Every structure is written in C-alpha cells, then in structure tokens.
Amino acid sequence: MRYIRPLSIEDAAGLLAGSTGTAAILAGGSDLLVRMKGGFIEPDLIVDIKAIEGLGEIRETAEGFSIGAAVPCAVLGESKVLKKAWPGVVEAANLIGSKQVQGRCTIVGNLCNASPAADSVPALVAAGAKAVVVGPGGKRTIAVEAVPTGPGKTSLAKGEIVEAILLDKRPPRSGDAYLRFIPRTEMDIAVVSAGVNLTLDEQGRVKSARLALGAVAPTVILVEAAAEVLIGSRLDEATLERLAKVCSGACRPIDDKRGTVEFRRKVAGVLAKRAATTAYKRAGGK
Amino acid sequence: MMPKSAQRFSDKHHGPNEGLALMVEVTLWGSLGALAGGKSKVEIEAKDIRELFRKLAEQYPGLEPLIEKGIAVAIDGTIYRDTWSKELPQGAEIFLLPRLAGG
Amino acid sequence: MNFDPRYSGRSFTSVGTRPIRPDGVDKVTGRARYGADFNMAGQLVGRVLRSPHAHAKIRKIDTSKAEKLAGVKAVITAADLPDLTDGDAAMYDILDNCMARTKALYDGHAVAAVAAVDARTARQALKLIEVDYEVLPHVVDVDEAMKHTAPLLNDAIFTEGLEEKPVKPSNVTKRTQYGHGDIHEGFGQADFVVERSFKTEQTHQGYIEPHACVASVSSDGTADLWVCTQGHFVYRQHCAQLLGMEASKLRVTSSEIGGGFGGKTHVWAEPVALALSRKAGRPVKLVMTRDEVFRASGPTSATSIDVRIGARKDGTITAAEATLRYSCGPYAGMWAEIGAMTAFACYKLDNVRTVGYEVLVNRPKTAAYRAPSAPMAAFAVESAVDELAKEIGMDPVEFRIRNAAQEGTRSSYGPVYGPIGIGPTLEAAKNHPHMKAPLGKNQGRGMACGFWFNFGGQTCTDLNIGMDGSVSLAVGTVDVGGSRASLSLVAAEELGIDYGQVKAVVADTSSLGYNDMTDGSRGTFSSSMATISAARNAIKTLRDRAAQTWDIPIDDVVWEKGHAIAKGEKYGNLAALSLKEIAAASGKTGGPIAGHSELVADGAGVSFATHICDIEVDPETGSTRVLRYTVVQDAGKAVHPTYVEGQYQGGAAQGIGWALNEEYIYGKDGRLQNPGFLDYRIPVCSDLPMIDTQILEIPNPNHPYGVRGVGETSIVPPLAAIANAVSNAVGVRMTHIPMSPPRILAAIEAER
Amino acid sequence: MAGVAVSTTINGDTVEYLCQPDETLLDVLRDRLGLTGAKEGCGTGDCGACSIILDDRLVCSCLVLGAEAEGRHVETIEGMAHGDSLHPLQQKFLEHAALQCGICTPGFLIAAKDLLAKNPDPTEEEIRFGLAGNLCRCTGYDKIVRAVQDAASVMKGA
C-alpha cells in the first residue's frame, strides 16, 4: 500500500489513472477510513488530495460559488456569504455526522460515496449544483445528480476526480432548505430526506422550484412532478397536501434496518412540505 | 430516619433463642418444591443456614445439587446468598430462592 | 463476621458529603489506564475468527496456511481449550461461548484465534483459516423459537420444570413459576380486567470501552492477566478453571473499567488470550473491535410477555398474572425466572402468578444488564397497571399508592418484605412539582415504578495506616462509577479523620482475598461494610497502641474524632493522641497498624424507584422528544450523593435509549445488521434533558450506615414510564419496545 | 509495505515517527507514541472517545491517517493541563462528578474545549448539540453539561 499526497490535480488524476490495484481518493476520510476499518476495502494506493492548491477553498466567482473538493463541511458553515446565499445546502452539509466528522468530511466526498442517504446531496440536487470533473480526458462539468448511479456506484471513469462543486449566484426572492428524518437528534444516517429550492416572482408566487428526496430510491431523486405542484402557488394548505402526496408517490424505498417502506413514503411527504415551507419563507414568501 | 418497624425487624436477629436449634418452616420456590417430593413447605430443625442446608440435603437428596450450586435464603424478606452462619430466628419466615445474577 | 452489621442511627461527618474522587485527576488528564492502555514487552496481537453464520455445524478447521504465515506465533481452536469443566454446565457454556466446539451458535461466535507480531499479520492470518461449515436452519425470535417446528439449537435440552418430563427436546430450557393465592378466584372478584401482550427487543449494555486484556503465561505455569472486568477474582476463577491452572498462580489485575453494566461479569475472550499466550510463549494483547462487542458479547434478553391484571371498582387489585418468555442466546439461563420474580414486586397482591420460559435462540449468549430482566417485566406490568387505572378512572399514581407493597407484604416472589421504599417513592412522586406542570399539544406524561433485589456477597478489604498517618484502603470490588470515593468517605467517617487522608485502590487478585464481582449494586454496599469492619479492627489496634503508650488498660481508651482518649477522671492529665501521633510511634509500639476484614455482606435490602417523564410526539413522523425526566429512588443512605445521583441519571438514560431506539436488528440470514454505534442508537447528549433526581433515605437495617445498593434500580422504570407517556401523548397503547418512530407512526396510522 | 516518515507537532512538541500508510493517527498516538489518553470506542467516528484537535479543528483521530499529520499541529488530552494546573474544564469535570467510568472523558474534554473556543457562552442546547458526537453511557450527560456550563462561566471571568 502507498500513501501519496500530490500537489496538483493533474498529478492526482495521473496517479489514479495509472494505478493497477484498488485506488482511493482521500479528502476527509470519514467514509474511506470506516470502510478500511471494516475490511470492505483494502486500497493499494491512497491519494490524499488535500495538498493540492485551491482544493481547500471556497471561491466566490462571477457565476456564483466554487467549493473545492477538500473543503471540510464545517468550513461551509463558517462562510457567511455561502450561508446567506444557500442556507439549505449549508445546513445539509452541517448535518453530516458529528462536529468531529464535520471537521473532516467534504460535500464532494459525500457525493462520490454515492449513498442514497447522503445528507448534502438532495440539497445540492435541489440547488442545481454542478460537479467539475477532472480526468485523463480533461475537464467536464456535469449536474451533481449525474454523479451517483446507484448505492456506492458513480459515473466517474478511472482516473477522474471531482475537483469542485459549483453553485449558481442567487436571483432575488430565492430560498432553499433541507430536512432529514433521523430517530435521534444527531449522529444518524437519514432515514428519509428532502431538499427544496425555490424562487418567487414579485407577487410571491413560486416561479421556479426543484425538489429532491434522499434515502427513498437507489440514488437521490429529483422529483419533477413536485416542482410542477409548487410552481405558481403560494404554498397554501392544498398545495402542500398535494406536494406531500406527489412526493410520497415518487418514492421507491426499501425496508431496512433504518426504516420501513411505509414509513419512508409517508415521511418523505411530510418533510417535503416542511422543507418547502422553510424555503418559501427564506425566499421572502409569506 | 429510622422507622420503628425497622428497629424491631433488626432485633429479631438477636432474639432470645440465639444458638438453639429450632423447628423452622421453610418455603420452597416452584421448581425446588418438585425436587422435595412436591412439597412447597418443609419443617426443619436448624439453628443457622448451614444446618438448614445440611438437613435439607439429608432429607431431600434431590435438593443437594442445587444447594451445591448455590441457593439464596430469604429471612424475613432479606436475601442471604452466602452467609452460612446466619442464624434462623424464631418465628422468622424462611424462604429458599434461586441465586440470582446482577448487572 | 467479626462485627455487628446492624444499622444504628447516627450523624455523619464525611458520609453524605461530595468530595472529588481519588481517581479523578488521572481520568481527566488521560493518564488512567483502561484495558487497552496497557502493554507488555514482546507482546503479540491476538485476533479472533468469528462465525458468519447464525447456526452451523463446524465440520473441519484447517489452520495450516495461517500457521505458515510469517509473523504468526500461535493459532488456536477449541482443541486448544479442552473441556476441563467436569460437569459444571454453566462453565461449559462459558467455555463453548469463548470458542465454539462442534457448532457455531450465532453470528459472531468465536471459532479460532491467532496471535501474531502485529495487527495486519493477525488480520491476514484470520483470512487464511479455512472453516468448513454445514449451515443449519436458525431461529432468532423468542416466540418463533418456542414453536415445535423451530430449528433446535441443542437436542439434549428437555424443558425442566414441567409437571411431566417431556419426551422431545426443545428450545425451552426451563419453566418456572412464582406467586401465591388463587388467581382464578381473584379475577372472579375483579370489576375490570386488562389483558395485553408486549414485546421488547434485545439491547446491549453499550459500554464505550470494548473488552480488552493482556495475557502472559510463563513456562513455569504462572500467569498474569491485565483486563477490564467487573470482577477480577471471578475472571481468575473462570480462567483458571477453563485453562487447568491453579488460581493462585494466575494474577489478575483489573484495569480501569470503561463501563460494564453487567456485560463484564464473565469471561469472553480472556481464556482465548491466555491460551494464545501459553501456545506462543509470549504475552498476547487481545482487544475486541466494536463490531465484535455487539456481535459476540453482552446483550440482554429479547422478550415476549403477556400480562393480565384485575381490579375492583375501588381500585384494589384482585389478581395479577404474567407469562414471560425471555431469550437466553444459545445457552440456558435464568433470565425469565428473574423477570417472573420481579414483575409484580412493587405491589401488594393476594392472588398472583408469574410463569417464566427460558428460550434458546441463535443470538449471542445473554449477559446480565443492570437489574437484568426487570426492566422488560416492569414495562409490561406497569403499562397494564396504567391502563387499568385509566379504565377504573383513577389517577395512575393514586392507583399505585393504593396497591403498593409495604413492610409485611408478601412479595410476588415469595418472602415477606421488611422496611421498603415503594410507598415513599410514590408519595414523593405524587407531591413532586413535575406532576403538576402543564403539558402542551402532542405531549404526554407517564410514570412507572421499578424494583430490584440488590446483592451483597463475599468481600475482603485491607486498611493500612502509614507512619505519616495516611490511610491506604485496598478493596477488591472493581470501581465502576466512583466507589473509591465513597469507600474513602466511609473509612474517613469510621476513623474520624479527613477524607483527604485516605487513598483507596482496587487491589489485584494476589494482594487481597477473594471478592465477588461488582454486580447486583453491591460495590459500595458490600465494600463499605468490609471497610467499616476493617476500620473498626484498626481502631482496636490504635487504642491498644495508645494504651501501651500511656501504660493503662485498653478498656480505658476510647476512639473519638480520630483520637484515642483516655476515659475517666484519673487520666485527666493525658492529652488525646491523634491517629497521626499513634501512627508515627507505631514502629516502637508493635509495628505497622492495619485493619483487615473478610466477610459476606449479605442483607443488601431491596430497592424501589418511581420515575416521571414528559414526552412530545410528532404525530406526522412518530418522532419523540423527552422533555422532562424525574427519578425518585430510595438509597438507604447516600454515601456520596453526587455519585448516587449519577447512578440514577445514568440508569434513566440507558432506559430511555432502550425505550426509544436501541435494538438488535437481525437480517433474514440471522446476521446482526447493526453492530456499531451508528445504527445501534444509544442516546446522544442532544437527545436528553437534564434528569432530575430525588434521593430518599430509608435505612437498610442490615448495614451499619443504612446503605442500600443504588446502581441498578434506576433502569427498571424508564421503559414503562416512557411507554405510558407516549401512549398518553398519542392516545394509543404502545406494546413494542423500542418505540422507534416507524413503530409509533404505524401505531398512530393503525388507529386512524 | 513501506513506512511513511512523518514530522508533526503534538501538544507543542516536534515529534517524528514512522507509520504504515493505512495506520490511523489514533493507533500512532496510542501504540507508537504512548499517548493513550485518546480511546478507541468504535473506530468508525461514532463515539468521539478518540477526539483530538488537528490544526484547530476537532476530529476523531480514528478517522485520520497517521501520515496525514505531516506538518500539522495535534492537540491531545495529554496537553490540556498546563504543568500542574488543570484546565478549567478538567477542574469542573472533577467538581461536578461529570464522569463515572471515565473512558469517554478525554474525548468530552477535548470536544468541550473546542466548543468553548468557538462559542465561549453557549446555551444548554448549544452544548448538547456541540457534544452530540461524544457518547457517554454512564452519566446521562446531565453532569457533563453542567460542568461545561460552569467552566464556561469561569473561563469568561478569567
């Protein structure tokens, strides 16, 4: 086994592309080290990307924000501008694990671990976030929902690394929110979760909306029918009930140690309602 | 805060019959009774727990392995697990119980 | 017993104060040494290979490849731990649990072990051991296991305790029955009857420190074992018996213990570590992973309980009955029996009957967990009691007060009670402000009572007085939560000196006589009794030395407030001699001064508690929040009240976890799905409110200071108290523990 | 497997060690450097008993590789007291009996120190959520929360 800390993203991609055995990228390590401890993975090569310049930064650009692959989730919570623009994304990132874990884990790691229950992913999908992928073939930018393809599986090719997550600049009257259900108050994996991102028109009606659900299908799902329910509404009681119904119906959950099919369906609708209400308020809706 | 009854209760242990073997009535819990020929109460002449166990084993050989393994004796509600020298006061209620586990 | 253990009312100087514990500084600076913090020169790393199957015959184990791996120094199987138990069935079960002999009986059952130069080599070696399993059908559910069609774990088991000896083997090892009166007649007198079935899932003690030991066996047959345990003398006996060693040649040192709660009362991997060390000729350190802790140590029973209680309109219970089925893991136990004994212990009943069934399942060997078996029985009974009160239209506290046991009541397990505290805890609860606080929407209040026996047992203590007048106290009961502080207080009290002059340590098995383990809430109860006795013996010597110094008869010397005083007018010119002065001269007056005590500290005195809690339920998700929690419990006498409160709070917190979220989840394949702290959900800090405590002191007549055990009772009421609160909040009776959000939501939906 | 040479700072002292590339910082601290104050309760970041501060960030040392400590600053429980005077948190944990078995105590102290560094005047709720990554099975957390509250008020006054 080798541990290498490259100084450029090209070197990192090259090491991964050239590796013969199992290679793993180490950013926060909060998933990788757990898998190593459990004997589920024994990498021949660990590529620590934290020394690569720029990967540990949140940059504000003309288009919005670029969050480097090595930025710990705790840092997202400390960025006032990011929190103001994308409160839902930040609260999702700050729900992962404990304070200890948040000091290490990254949203890129959360995305690439490809768990359907990943906390930051529904918020990112709802936000319309994009992933910048660097690999032997160059650089490409894809929607975050295109990265995970199933539990533990991604669309990334050998040698490819997600370098950063891009979030757009916010139009006025926008708001987002993320909620998850866990049995305890902290430290659990989401049993079901919902991320909502809304923009209102000048009359306070929903102009555009994206809603994503977590832990109810093999990947986080973007529920387009939910957006249709929301658009044009002022989130009155009837809209919210319809939203809950549509969201429950969009679920394809399983029974497992964390919850039942029935529970996930029902609570997906409840969380969608509640997250939409918070996002609506954050967007200035009344 | 010492209830009067507690004082009386303690005094029983050092009653006037100290040292003398008495006829005591011993209650056996469910499965013990089966080993003593289906009796739930037996009369034994014994002054302390040691003598009680010895005589029980003599009169009801089926009880011997259980006594070996350990039986608790409740005297007036207080459970004794190991004190063979504990005297059996006159008029006390003697109850045999299984030896329990604790956390 | 060489002293009078009877209670005598007195005022205290040290007992009842709250000083800092003597082992505290080492624990806040990281210096305290726990099981895994000790190392020996040349030690190897021990690792255990565990069965991935819930039930499988072991056809063959081939260790040859592992043995050939460079760095591997020993590989063992059951063949290296031959059966030396000589017909002792309980020890045989412990042996088989340490290393499976013919069958793997649960997911995680040890089948082989290695010792290697480092962890990586040990891990690789485990992969090279080839085990040929014949997978057998398994059963993990307690009700399923009782069916005639269930796979049999052990075909030599025929249910004991039945009227007729059964002809067919069964997973039910034993039936037991308790009670008195005539329940048919009792139910005939009832105006109201509540009948319900309940289920509780299996939980784990969840101590944060995994089992850990360092074993070193020398070629001359002597051995050392460093281990985290609740009872190092018991571990010595177990290990010596299982390995065929002489007990006195095995020195066991108990490390600091990072929680046990019953889970560290018998051996798990320690005999394996010793066997590896014996074979390798080097010390072996063996530390369980968290996954191993959950899969192969500890858990409590899963249960299925039916309860029926009848009462008259006036609120008098006329009859009570319960059938209790408790899982034991793959080996016989007495868990249902304890449940049957404790179920109705809080109440004064003329007609009561409880029947217990011990059931074998393909789960880890059930171990004691804090007042073992009592919380589940209390959950069932106290839920039914609450429901019955509601049917009668009585306040649940009043209903309980009306039926509470008192001195002279025949307990449901047989004996008649002496002075007990159930009534006072109920009265205190009734008058507690918590009972009158307003409740909001979706909130419910629940209360429940709990009982535990408490134990005493064999105890041995040494008290040595240094020439500088400082006192070292060597005890043999492991300190699981502050007992060194309370025992130092007791020594200071008895000697009449300052707490700071006393230093208590836990002695190893070669330095002190045998002590039973710290279980059954006996640590402070029994060792304080022995400490008082040892101190009184030391005082006798101190008086003797003072008498010598003054050249007067010892009978003229009394001990008061840490001083020898010559009593009587004729000695008016003799200034009192302090302990320090007598100690300083001890070299000239007869040598070192010490007090020793060995006794059986029986007469622990039963203990009762009443808990109150408020819960809020989110009716859309089934999520719960504990808003407020109050514990009222009898301590006899609180030696160090802060640590008594700590026991109350800790027991309540464990009970809250059990009630709401903790459970073993098995897959269809019989494998444990959640062997980690991520999905075995013990309460985290943000899950709980402050836990209020009220200590009652109803003296135990069998202890000089009136002390009762306090450690266990606090885990008995919470399951029921929370179930009653949730049921009151949602208007549906909850009958399955834990009341996880999916279960609560399903219950609410079913009612709609 | 080739060892990785690491030079780092632990509790203010320069420390050099050789570790395996897959070895956790927790194992390095405990097995190579004799700093056994951090405990392994789970090895998966779920219990917080191995908490340390790495470059001013609270982390679980079981989720950090030993190799990652190169050039960084590590603070452990062994460095919390100054000479023979305890940190106010250590003192308050003793006074409030905020420990029973004590196995979780080093992790709690480190986490509480980090919490108070970032939020010197936390509410009870902020303390409870701030310490949610540290499991305690003995105390029910009541006395731990009180000790942290008391330490916070002492530290503000200092």
Side-chain angles (χ1 to χ4, degrees):
Chain A
M1 181 199 255
R2 290 181 305 153
Y3 166 86
I4 301 180
R5 188 164 25 201
L7 297 174
S8 76
I9 192 87
E10 291 74 20
D11 284 355
L15 279 165
L16 292 168
S19 69
T20 46
T22 311
I25 301 171
L26 172 64
S30 52
D31 287 315
L32 177 64
L33 266 70
V34 173
R35 279 158 63 210
M36 284 165 63
K37 174 90 186 175
F40 303 109
I41 179 174
E42 278 184 53
D44 301 293
L45 171 69
I46 291 178
V47 179
D48 182 349
I49 59 170
K50 286 192 291 294
I52 297 169
E53 206 185 326
L55 254 56
E57 291 169 19
I58 302 173
R59 279 182 300 139
E60 217 179 330
T61 63
E63 293 80 34
F65 295 93
S66 170
I67 302 163
V71 177
C73 286
V75 174
L76 268 59
E78 290 158 12
S79 165
K80 283 193 182 115
V81 281
L82 186 67
K83 214 168 164 177
K84 187 158 181 278
W86 291 103
V89 170
V90 173
E91 70 198 356
N94 286 329
L95 283 174
I96 302 170
S98 58
K99 288 275 175 292
Q100 284 86 336
V101 170
Q102 286 152 25
R104 293 271 294 166
C105 69
T106 65
I107 52 170
V108 169
N110 201 220
L111 177 68
C112 295
N113 190 50
S115 160
D119 274 313
S120 68
V121 179
L124 288 172
V125 170
K130 292 177 183 65
V132 181
V133 181
V134 178
K139 201 178 264 198
R140 61 195 178 104
T141 300
I142 58 174
V144 288
E145 55 266 38
V147 176
T149 54
K153 291 194 178 70
T154 70
S155 60
L156 300 176
K158 186 174 165 75
E160 283 193 322
I161 303 175
V162 174
E163 182 186 44
I165 297 290
L166 305 179
L167 285 165
D168 286 344
K169 224 185 179 106
R170 298 296 261 156
R173 295 181 300 279
S174 296
D176 72 333
Y178 172 78
L179 283 176
R180 65 166 182 192
F181 184 85
I182 54 170
R184 292 183 290 191
T185 48
E186 282 280 355
M187 300 304 291
D188 288 334
I189 301 288
V191 182
V192 43
S193 60
V196 179
N197 176 28
L198 303 172
T199 300
L200 311 185
D201 63 18
E202 286 175 2
Q203 284 76 45
R205 281 199 197 84
V206 177
K207 190 164 75 181
S208 66
R210 283 170 69 87
L211 186 150
L213 297 174
V216 294
T219 62
V220 168
I221 53 171
L222 179 68
V223 187
E224 281 168 11
E228 285 164 25
V229 171
L230 291 170
I231 289 168
S233 83
R234 282 198 177 86
L235 258 64
D236 52 291
E237 201 57 39
T239 304
L240 288 172
E241 283 317 309
R242 252 200 340 273
L243 177 72
K245 213 168 165 193
V246 164
C247 287
S248 292
C251 296
R252 287 173 280 128
I254 53 166
D255 280 325
D256 68 7
K257 62 189 169 189
R258 298 188 182 127
T260 59
V261 167
E262 298 72 33
F263 182 79
R264 287 189 161 108
R265 266 193 215 288
K266 160 92 184 163
V267 176
V270 173
L271 294 186
K273 277 195 301 189
R274 294 179 182 178
T277 306
T278 302
Y280 184 71
K281 277 188 194 141
R282 283 177 177 165
K286 286 179 185 92
Chain B
M1 184 164 104
M2 176 70 185
K4 264 193 216 148
S5 52
Q7 195 59 55
R8 197 181 66 237
F9 177 76
S10 313
D11 287 343
K12 275 192 197 172
H13 294 232
H14 294 260
N17 288 307
E18 207 164 306
L20 292 173
L22 299 163
M23 198 55 112
V24 292
E25 190 184 71
V26 180
T27 310
L28 310 170
W29 91 89
S31 50
L32 253 192
L35 297 168
K39 293 182 183 171
S40 63
K41 281 184 198 291
V42 295
E43 294 249 312
I44 301 278
E45 192 179 306
K47 67 174 189 299
D48 56 22
I49 292 179
R50 183 209 326 271
E51 196 172 3
L52 171 70
F53 281 170
R54 186 164 53 78
K55 291 196 172 165
L56 270 175
E58 277 168 20
Q59 291 172 32
Y60 305 99
L63 290 175
E64 200 176 351
L66 275 166
I67 293 171
E68 273 300 303
K69 253 165 54 180
I71 290 185
V73 182
I75 303 172
D76 284 333
T78 300
I79 298 171
Y80 296 86
R81 297 203 302 178
D82 297 291
T83 316
W84 278 22
S85 60
K86 187 77 207 167
E87 282 158 13
L88 307 177
Q90 189 173 30
E93 193 208 34
I94 316 285
F95 217 96
L96 295 194
L97 294 169
R99 215 188 134 95
L100 304 174
Chain C
M1 208 178 285
N2 52 5
F3 89 121
D4 183 357
R6 278 183 302 168
Y7 172 74
S8 60
R10 58 183 287 179
S11 62
F12 294 102
T13 308
S14 294
V15 164
T17 62
R18 304 170 180 246
I20 286 173
R21 62 199 278 170
D23 52 314
V25 169
D26 282 352
K27 285 180 174 164
V28 298
T29 54
R31 268 177 252 180
R33 286 197 301 179
Y34 293 83
D37 298 339
F38 181 77
N39 296 297
M40 284 180 82
Q43 79 188 12
L44 302 169
V45 175
R47 299 272 307 162
V48 176
L49 183 69
R50 298 184 181 277
S51 166
H53 306 294
H55 196 191
K57 200 167 150 189
I58 300 168
R59 286 202 197 104
K60 191 175 160 231
I61 303 180
D62 183 353
T63 59
S64 57
K65 283 183 191 148
E67 280 158 14
K68 284 186 198 115
L69 182 69
V72 171
K73 302 297 177 186
V75 183
I76 63 162
T77 64
D80 296 276
L81 280 166
D83 178 13
L84 305 173
T85 59
D86 194 24
D88 182 337
M91 280 312 291
Y92 179 84
D93 288 348
I94 289 174
L95 172 69
D96 191 62
N97 190 48
C98 286
M99 192 65 80
R101 316 196 79 72
T102 55
K103 284 210 290 187
L105 293 164
Y106 57 92
D107 166 36
H109 198 166
V111 293
V114 302
V117 290
D118 56 30
R120 162 169 281 267
T121 309
R123 265 201 313 271
Q124 282 176 331
L126 290 189
K127 288 184 187 164
L128 296 173
I129 296 174
E130 291 167 8
V131 186
D132 181 10
Y133 291 106
E134 179 188 334
V135 178
L136 302 170
H138 66 272
V139 60
V140 296
D141 181 80
V142 64
D143 288 319
E144 290 296 320
M146 287 183 76
K147 291 182 179 164
H148 297 298
T149 49
L152 276 183
L153 273 82
N154 183 344
D155 55 20
I157 298 277
F158 293 83
T159 310
E160 283 177 38
L162 298 179
E163 296 271 310
E164 283 176 35
K165 195 176 156 50
V167 290
K168 277 188 183 167
S170 157
N171 288 327
V172 180
T173 65
K174 196 174 170 190
R175 177 192 185 278
T176 46
Q177 184 175 322
Y178 284 86
H180 54 258
D182 182 334
I183 57 161
H184 299 292
E185 204 183 301
F187 280 113
Q189 294 163 13
D191 299 311
F192 297 93
V193 175
V194 162
E195 189 168 3
R196 281 266 184 204
S197 295
F198 300 89
K199 207 149 178 164
T200 70
E201 295 301 328
Q202 179 170 295
T203 56
H204 193 276
Q205 292 80 348
Y207 30 83
I208 308 299
E209 183 197 24
H211 299 262
C213 67
V214 183
S216 175
V217 182
S218 301
S219 51
D220 65 356
T222 61
D224 273 287
L225 180 68
W226 163 274
V227 61
C228 64
T229 171
Q230 289 175 244
H232 43 315
F233 292 91
V234 173
Y235 273 36
R236 178 177 68 172
Q237 274 191 329
H238 285 185
C239 290
Q241 191 180 349
L242 296 182
L243 285 126
M245 301 173 71
E246 286 174 51
S248 62
K249 288 187 179 167
L250 171 59
R251 183 174 70 166
V252 182
T253 307
S254 72
S255 69
E256 292 295 338
I257 176 172
F261 316 112
K264 292 173 184 169
T265 53
H266 75 60
V267 294
W268 305 93
E270 295 75 12
V272 173
L274 285 162
L276 283 169
S277 174
R278 180 165 65 184
K279 195 162 183 178
R282 283 169 66 170
V284 172
K285 182 170 183 170
L286 202 159
V287 181
M288 279 197 194
T289 62
R290 177 53 54 183
D291 173 277
E292 288 179 290
V293 171
F294 277 114
R295 285 169 68 209
S297 80
T300 188
S301 302
T303 74
S304 157
I305 303 172
D306 304 331
V307 176
R308 187 155 74 113
I309 311 178
R312 278 199 296 267
K313 271 183 265 184
D314 67 357
T316 312
I317 296 178
T318 58
E321 182 185 19
T323 304
L324 308 101
R325 308 162 198 94
Y326 278 51
S327 73
C328 300
Y331 308 105
M334 56 182 310
W335 309 110
E337 181 162 15
I338 302 174
M341 291 172 79
T342 60
F344 291 107
C346 292
Y347 298 106
K348 182 178 182 217
L349 301 166
D350 291 336
N351 306 297
V352 56
R353 183 172 72 190
T354 56
V355 176
Y357 293 99
E358 315 290 346
V359 187
L360 302 188
V361 292
N362 294 112
R363 293 178 179 234
K365 184 178 192 295
T366 294
Y369 178 19
R370 203 170 195 160
S373 300
M376 307 82 130
F379 159 60
V381 167
E382 291 291 293
S383 294
V385 164
D386 235 46
E387 205 173 352
L388 189 54
K390 200 166 274 176
E391 290 214 0
I392 297 170
M394 265 181 93
D395 174 76
V397 187
E398 288 296 343
F399 181 61
R400 285 176 172 88
I401 288 173
R402 188 178 182 94
N403 292 289
Q406 48 193 280
E407 184 173 4
T409 297
R410 175 165 304 286
S411 68
S412 58
Y413 58 91
V416 170
Y417 287 125
I420 54 170
I422 177 69
T425 67
L426 277 164
E427 292 289 348
K430 181 181 154 187
N431 297 321
H432 199 283
H434 184 166
M435 272 299 183
K436 285 151 205 109
L439 285 170
K441 200 180 163 204
N442 298 322
Q443 296 178 356
R445 176 165 300 142
M447 52 85 57
C449 300
F451 158 88
W452 183 246
F453 298 99
N454 295 336
F455 302 160
Q458 301 183 62
T459 315
C460 183
T461 293
D462 261 346
L463 187 151
N464 288 290
I465 299 174
M467 295 227 270
D468 61 354
S470 64
V471 174
S472 59
L473 182 66
V475 300
T477 44
V478 171
D479 180 353
V480 297
S483 61
R484 271 166 293 190
S486 53
L487 298 174
S488 298
L489 281 171
V490 166
E493 184 74 49
E494 201 60 38
L495 292 169
I497 58 174
D498 190 65
Y499 167 79
Q501 264 177 273
V502 184
K503 173 84 178 176
V505 298
V506 178
D508 67 51
T509 57
S510 296
S511 313
L512 200 62
Y514 177 84
N515 277 265
D516 281 337
M517 61 199 158
T518 300
D519 76 332
S521 303
R522 69 174 290 273
T524 294
F525 167 76
S526 58
S527 273
S528 68
M529 212 190 264
T531 298
I532 293 166
S533 163
R536 289 181 185 175
N537 290 336
I539 288 169
K540 209 172 152 203
T541 305
L542 288 161
R543 282 168 53 224
D544 179 51
R545 300 300 176 83
Q548 277 188 50
T549 307
W550 288 323
D551 203 13
I552 65 172
I554 184 173
D555 288 346
D556 289 352
V557 181
V558 294
W559 190 259
E560 273 172 23
K561 293 181 181 160
H563 290 76
I565 295 164
K567 85 183 163 185
E569 272 177 33
K570 58 182 168 175
Y571 303 128
N573 60 337
L574 294 176
L577 282 172
S578 71
L579 181 141
K580 208 168 175 173
E581 287 164 326
I582 299 169
S586 61
K588 300 183 195 86
T589 58
I593 300 172
H596 183 75
S597 173
E598 57 276 314
L599 51 79
V600 177
D602 268 336
V606 295
S607 148
F608 294 87
T610 297
H611 290 198
I612 317 163
C613 73
D614 295 350
I615 303 272
E616 182 171 302
V617 181
D618 179 343
E620 287 192 306
T621 63
S623 172
T624 49
R625 223 165 82 79
V626 183
L627 303 169
R628 184 169 179 180
Y629 203 99
T630 303
V631 177
V632 184
Q633 188 179 319
D634 173 19
K637 174 70 199 172
V639 177
H640 192 307
T642 312
Y643 285 103
V644 172
E645 290 163 10
Q647 289 297 321
Y648 291 6
Q649 292 165 334
Q654 289 181 341
I656 291 168
W658 192 341
L660 294 175
N661 282 309
E662 293 179 34
E663 65 178 308
Y664 267 46
I665 302 168
Y666 279 92
K668 286 204 174 70
D669 55 3
R671 300 190 66 179
L672 184 60
Q673 304 267 300
N674 58 336
F677 279 135
L678 181 61
D679 285 305
Y680 183 87
R681 303 184 187 96
I682 77 172
V684 301
C685 195
S686 46
D687 290 341
L688 298 175
M690 293 296 187
I691 296 170
D692 292 337
T693 56
Q694 189 175 346
I695 300 172
L696 303 187
E697 295 189 332
I698 297 150
N700 174 6
N702 305 305
H703 185 282
Y705 295 175
V707 170
R708 294 176 195 265
V710 298
E712 293 172 289
T713 309
S714 53
I715 201 177
V716 183
L719 277 60
I722 292 170
N724 288 336
V726 171
S727 300
N728 289 336
V730 302
V732 186
R733 175 55 50 187
M734 300 304 299
T735 58
H736 195 162
I737 295 272
M739 293 169 285
S740 59
R743 281 202 189 103
I744 292 178
L745 192 62
I748 296 172
E749 298 273 308
E751 191 75 5
R752 271 181 192 149
Chain D
M1 193 160 51
V4 184
V6 177
S7 175
T8 187
T9 304
I10 300 178
N11 299 326
D13 298 324
T14 303
V15 176
E16 293 183 346
Y17 56 81
L18 203 62
C19 69
Q20 294 298 319
D22 62 348
E23 200 171 331
T24 65
L25 181 54
L26 175 62
D27 286 341
V28 168
L29 291 172
R30 291 179 53 83
D31 300 339
R32 294 188 186 270
L33 305 178
L35 296 171
T36 55
K39 310 297 179 192
E40 180 169 317
C42 67
T44 51
D46 298 310
C47 78
C50 66
S51 294
I52 59 157
I53 292 173
L54 181 65
D55 283 353
D56 291 325
R57 270 214 194 274
L58 178 69
V59 298
C60 287
S61 58
C62 73
L63 294 186
V64 179
L65 291 178
E68 289 183 78
E70 172 66 33
R72 302 177 75 174
H73 289 264
V74 177
E75 287 176 58
T76 71
I77 186 67
E78 287 88 351
M80 195 157 167
H82 284 279
D84 66 350
S85 73
L86 295 177
H87 187 280
L89 277 162
Q90 292 173 313
Q91 186 61 34
K92 291 301 171 192
F93 265 57
L94 289 179
E95 288 172 14
H96 286 266
L99 53 140
Q100 282 175 31
C101 83
I103 191 94
C104 68
T105 308
F108 264 100
L109 286 166
I110 290 289
K113 186 184 170 200
D114 177 73
L115 172 75
L116 295 185
K118 296 188 165 76
N119 181 0
D121 192 16
T123 62
E124 183 192 332
E125 192 179 2
E126 284 167 342
I127 292 171
R128 288 191 179 275
F129 278 88
L131 299 178
N134 295 76
L135 296 180
C136 170
R137 190 59 156 170
C138 294
T139 63
Y141 304 105
D142 182 300
K143 295 186 189 303
I144 292 175
V145 174
R146 289 178 203 276
V148 174
Q149 286 173 322
D150 196 4
S153 67
V154 166
M155 287 164 73
K156 269 187 302 178

